[in-house]
Every structure is written in structure tokens, then in C-alpha cells.
């Protein structure tokens, strides 16, 4: 069977890249293990314009938000389900220093569109302990990533091969790649954290990170805005709320841990003054990178093998924009921006890799 592209992985990166290629008239197939290791299936899907303790605008956010809104809206329409939800973020501020940082940002050029003071808390104010002050992050969004991946898998089941990918079966030739009984012009790895064991890209500084989250129900049902304290509390599925998540670079299995559950519960008790019930405890491993920028580009020696990976905690916002860059590379040989090109790492050295 001959294809234009074979994509390995149907997380958010592989799904959106496949969709854009299919919309560009390409004959695509996806090889995926039914997302048994996909962090996209347990992610909250938050697009957050302003992050961190110093309330810094996310990298490229002015370009990322319009592209994300456009692509997720189209996907939702085509899949027949709501995918994108516009939800501002209530940001708790716990001391005068943090409040001063917030006020400084309010007066800084380029921030007025994204942050404001004195937010409308809705009934959040009745459900939580009151911090020093509040701010509001505007222009945020939340995606139903699990729903999107399931809907895509159902609609495009004819292009998905469900199996574990076997690297040893790849044969690279001039102008094509062969895998078992399949042939393609371009083989693209979008396999999430499992790239850490990909022999074609083991020279890159993969730094996978495990996160855990609780799925809870609570009394009072807060308004649709997301709450950002030390961690997120955000609406999730079927009236539940997603709470998380952590960063662990050492424990890279998919099992949840008692210690992290206790930490998340302690956080909830410190923020909420209403009872809550834990419905589920989930874990996922994100494909992060040493310099926190995606890894995109062509293999330095095998010209028909590519990588589209490393989107980390901001995959929901980054992937729609960079699918455009990736498709331009694949179809028109237009280089991706230097900041994400895998060529930014010294390919002559193998010690760039950070093993877990």
C-alpha cells in the first residue's frame, strides 16, 4: 500500500498534522497504539496566554491563539461536536509582591489585551478561601482533547492502523520509506514521549515529564471560568473538574502515585472551602525538551524521515500553528523557524540526550 505520509502517533500532534495534510489532498495513514500512552487523553487542554510566577506572555501567543481558534473551530464543525470553549482564567495572587508584579504587567505594553484586575468571580467567591487578590487572564481557551481524539479516530478509522510501531521494520531508500507492507514518501514521528526510545532521533535532548491530575466533583458547581492557583482547577467532562498537574522527570511510568494524590488533595483543601469528591486519578507523560521548544524537522541523514514532537505542556496552543509550518516543509520544502528546527542541536554529538 502506498501513501504520501505515514504518521506515527495519534495524540494531539499526530491528529492535527494528519488532518491538515488530509485537507491538503494528501493520502495519509496513521500508526497508533490506541493512545494507551497519550498524555493528550488525560490533559485539560488549556490555552493560557499568560503563565508563570511573573505573569509572562506565552511565546508566540499573538500568532498561536488565532490559529488555534480557527483550527479547533473547524475541527469541531467537521467532527460534529464542540471542541473549543472560551474560558477566561481567574488568577489568584497570594501576597503584595505578586500583586505588584500583576500591576506592573497591566502597565506594560502588549499585556492590556490579556490581563485585567477585579475579575467577576461568579460563584467561585463562595467556594474558595479568599487569597490576597485576584487577576483575570483574558483570551484563554480550553479544548476537549479526549473528545476530539475519539471523534477523529471514529471519522477517520479507515486511515488508522492500530498497532505498536516497530522501528526495526523501517527501510529508508532514496525517495521513499518502507514499513512492513507499506510505502510512503515521508515518515513522520509524532509519538509523544515515546520518542525517547526512537532510534532515529536519539541524538536529541528529549526530557519527558510525568504529570498527575485528579478528576473531582464539588459542591456549588463554579462558573465556567478556570481557576489558576498553584495548580489549575478547570471544568472537565460530565460536570467534573480537572485538578493538576505536577512535573516529575524521574518516574516515567503511567501509574498514579499515592504521594501525588496526597499533594493534590492537600492543594484542594487549601483552596476550596466546600466538600469535593475524587472521581478519578490519572497520569500522563508529556514530550518535553531541554530548551522547552518543540522538535520539528527532517532527519539529518535520512531525508524522508521527520519529527513533529516535543510540545510539552503547551501542546494545545502550539500544535495548530506548527502544523502549518510542518506541512509547508513536507509539501513545499519551506524550512521551519530556527527556534523549533531540530537542526538547532549539534547532531555531531550524541550526548545531547537526557535519559530518564
Amino acid at each position: 500500500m502506498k501513501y504520501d505520509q505515514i504518521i506515527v502517533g495519534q495524540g494531539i500532534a499526530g491528529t492535527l498534522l494528519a488532518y491538515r495534510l488530509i485537507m491538503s489532498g494528501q493520502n495519509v495513514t496513521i500508526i497508533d497504539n490506541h493512545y494507551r500512552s497519550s498524555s493528550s487523553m488525560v490533559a485539560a487542554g488549556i490555552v493560557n496566554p499568560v503563565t508563570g510566577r511573573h505573569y509572562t506572555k506565552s511565546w508566540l501567543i499573538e500568532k498561536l491563539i488565532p490559529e488555534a481558534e480557527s483550527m479547533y473551530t473547524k475541527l469541531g464543525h467537521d467532527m460534529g461536536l464542540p471542541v473549543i470553549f472560551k474560558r477566561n482564567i481567574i488568577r489568584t495572587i497570594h501576597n503584595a509582591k505578586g500583586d505588584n508584579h500583576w500591576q506592573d504587567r497591566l502597565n506594560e505594553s502588549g499585556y492590556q489585551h490579556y490581563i485585567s484586575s477585579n475579575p467577576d468571580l461568579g460563584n467561585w467567591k463562595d467556594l474558595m478561601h479568599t487569597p490576597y487578590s485576584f487577576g483575570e487572564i483574558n483570551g484563554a481557551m480550553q479544548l476537549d482533547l479526549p473528545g476530539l481524539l475519539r471523534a477523529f479516530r471514529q471519522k477517520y478509522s479507515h486511515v488508522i492502523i492500530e498497532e505498536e510501531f516497530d522501528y526495526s521494520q523501517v527501510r529508508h531508500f532514496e525517495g521513499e520509506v518502507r514499513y512492513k507492507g507499506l510505502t510512503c514518501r515521508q515518515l513522520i514521528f509524532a509519538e509523544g514521549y515515546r520518542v525517547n526510545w526512537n532510534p532515529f532521533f536519539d541524538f536529541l535532548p528529549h526530557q519527558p515529564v510525568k504529570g498527575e491530575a485528579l478528576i473531582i466533583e464539588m459542591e456549588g458547581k463554579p462558573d465556567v471560568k478556570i481557576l489558576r492557583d498553584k495548580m489549575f482547577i478547570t471544568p472537565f467532562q460530565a460536570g467534573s473538574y480537572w485538578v493538576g498537574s505536577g512535573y516529575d522527570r524521574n518516574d516515567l511510568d503511567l501509574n498514579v502515585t499515592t504521594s501525588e494524590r496526597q499533594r493534590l488533595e492537600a492543594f484542594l483543601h487549601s483552596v476550596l472551602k466546600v466538600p469535593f469528591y475524587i472521581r478519578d486519578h490519572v497520569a500522563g507523560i508529556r514530550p518535553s525538551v531541554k530548551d522547552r521548544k518543540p522538535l520539528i524537522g527532517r532527519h539529518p541523514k535520512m531525508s524522508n524521515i521527520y519529527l513533529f514532537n516535543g510540545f510539552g505542556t503547551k501542546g494545545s496552543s502550539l500544535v495548530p500553528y506548527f502544523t502549518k509550518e510542518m506541512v509547508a516543509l513536507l509539501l513545499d520544502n519551506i524550512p521551519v523557524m530556527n527556534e523549533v528546527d531540530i537542526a538547532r542541536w549539534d547532531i555531531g554529538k550524541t550526548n545531547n540526550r537526557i535519559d530518564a
Side-chain angles (χ1 to χ4, degrees):
M1 193 71 179
K2 292 186 177 182
Y3 297 96
D4 293 313
Q5 294 88 19
I6 294 175
I7 298 173
V8 181
Q10 198 238 323
I12 190 62
T15 296
L16 267 61
L17 178 60
Y19 183 75
R20 197 178 285 275
L21 285 167
I22 291 168
M23 294 301 103
S24 299
Q26 299 296 289
N27 182 19
V28 177
T29 195
I30 302 170
I31 299 174
D32 182 73
N33 67 350
H34 205 183
Y35 34 72
R36 286 185 287 272
S37 61
S38 174
S39 61
S40 301
M41 288 302 294
V42 296
I46 297 170
V47 175
N48 183 7
V50 176
T51 64
R53 288 176 295 177
H54 299 293
Y55 318 122
T56 304
K57 277 196 302 181
S58 295
W59 178 59
L60 295 179
I61 196 64
E62 288 87 357
K63 294 181 178 180
L64 299 182
I65 283 185
E67 195 61 47
E69 185 172 354
S70 173
M71 190 170 196
Y72 289 123
T73 299
K74 180 171 174 53
L75 270 163
H77 177 76
D78 289 357
M79 299 299 123
L81 81 164
V83 168
I84 184 170
F85 304 89
K86 294 185 178 181
R87 288 183 170 137
N88 282 1
I89 299 172
I90 297 169
R91 191 67 157 89
T92 60
I93 301 171
H94 289 282
N95 51 49
K97 183 178 180 180
D99 197 49
N100 288 336
H101 276 311
W102 190 267
Q103 296 305 318
D104 288 343
R105 290 301 191 201
L106 280 171
N107 296 320
E108 187 173 338
S109 176
Y111 278 82
Q112 293 83 0
H113 179 68
Y114 295 108
I115 65 173
S116 57
S117 292
N118 303 315
D120 179 4
L121 302 178
N123 65 341
W124 267 115
K125 66 180 182 297
D126 301 319
L127 308 177
M128 63 181 297
H129 301 293
T130 304
Y132 184 88
S133 64
F134 293 97
E136 185 161 356
I137 299 173
N138 308 308
M141 296 179 284
Q142 187 176 16
L143 296 314
D144 179 7
L145 295 184
L148 170 59
L149 298 189
R150 286 191 292 264
F152 181 91
R153 195 176 192 87
Q154 181 176 8
K155 182 170 182 175
Y156 290 98
S157 59
H158 59 287
V159 307
I160 297 175
I161 299 171
E162 187 176 324
E163 65 177 45
E164 292 286 345
F165 190 83
D166 185 352
Y167 303 106
S168 69
Q169 296 297 309
V170 174
R171 301 290 182 267
H172 180 266
F173 300 93
E174 185 66 32
E176 69 177 22
V177 179
R178 297 176 190 170
Y179 176 75
K180 296 184 177 180
L182 311 177
T183 302
C184 64
R185 292 190 297 109
Q186 296 159 323
L187 173 63
I188 306 146
F189 290 99
E191 59 202 318
Y193 85 100
R194 290 182 66 85
V195 73
N196 205 47
W197 296 275
N198 185 322
F200 298 103
F201 294 99
D202 61 358
F203 57 88
L204 293 170
H206 310 299
Q207 197 174 60
V209 177
K210 179 177 180 177
E212 298 183 43
L214 298 180
I215 312 301
I216 69 167
E217 294 179 4
M218 71 174 88
E219 285 190 8
K221 297 293 182 185
D223 292 337
V224 295
K225 290 180 182 177
I226 298 165
L227 182 71
R228 175 68 164 95
D229 193 87
K230 294 178 181 177
M231 289 182 271
F232 283 99
I233 304 177
T234 183
F236 199 53
Q237 299 171 335
S240 64
Y241 295 83
W242 185 99
V243 183
S245 65
Y247 298 84
D248 191 334
R249 292 192 175 95
N250 300 311
D251 174 15
L252 294 180
D253 64 39
L254 289 170
N255 297 319
V256 298
T257 61
T258 300
S259 60
E260 189 64 6
R261 180 182 177 119
Q262 291 172 344
R263 189 178 76 91
L264 291 165
E265 283 192 68
F267 161 73
L268 283 167
H269 284 298
S270 72
V271 173
L272 298 178
K273 61 183 182 183
V274 295
F276 60 88
Y277 164 73
I278 298 174
R279 283 179 43 180
D280 201 1
H281 181 190
V282 296
I285 302 176
R286 300 180 288 265
S288 296
V289 184
K290 187 177 180 180
D291 66 356
R292 300 185 180 183
K293 295 290 192 302
L295 292 170
I296 302 174
R298 181 186 288 114
H299 191 280
K301 296 180 180 178
M302 302 178 189
S303 60
N304 301 93
I305 296 179
Y306 296 78
L307 187 64
F308 189 67
N309 210 305
F311 295 97
T313 60
K314 298 181 179 178
S316 297
S317 57
L318 291 169
V319 171
Y321 180 81
F322 283 105
T323 56
K324 287 182 66 175
E325 293 240 331
M326 189 65 183
V327 169
L329 173 64
L330 293 169
L331 303 189
D332 301 312
N333 202 30
I334 298 173
V336 298
M337 67 171 62
N338 293 335
E339 292 93 332
V340 303
D341 195 330
I342 61 173
R344 70 188 187 272
W345 297 100
D346 186 350
I347 61 174
K349 297 179 181 178
T350 58
N351 61 356
N352 277 334
R353 180 173 177 178
I354 299 174
D355 290 307

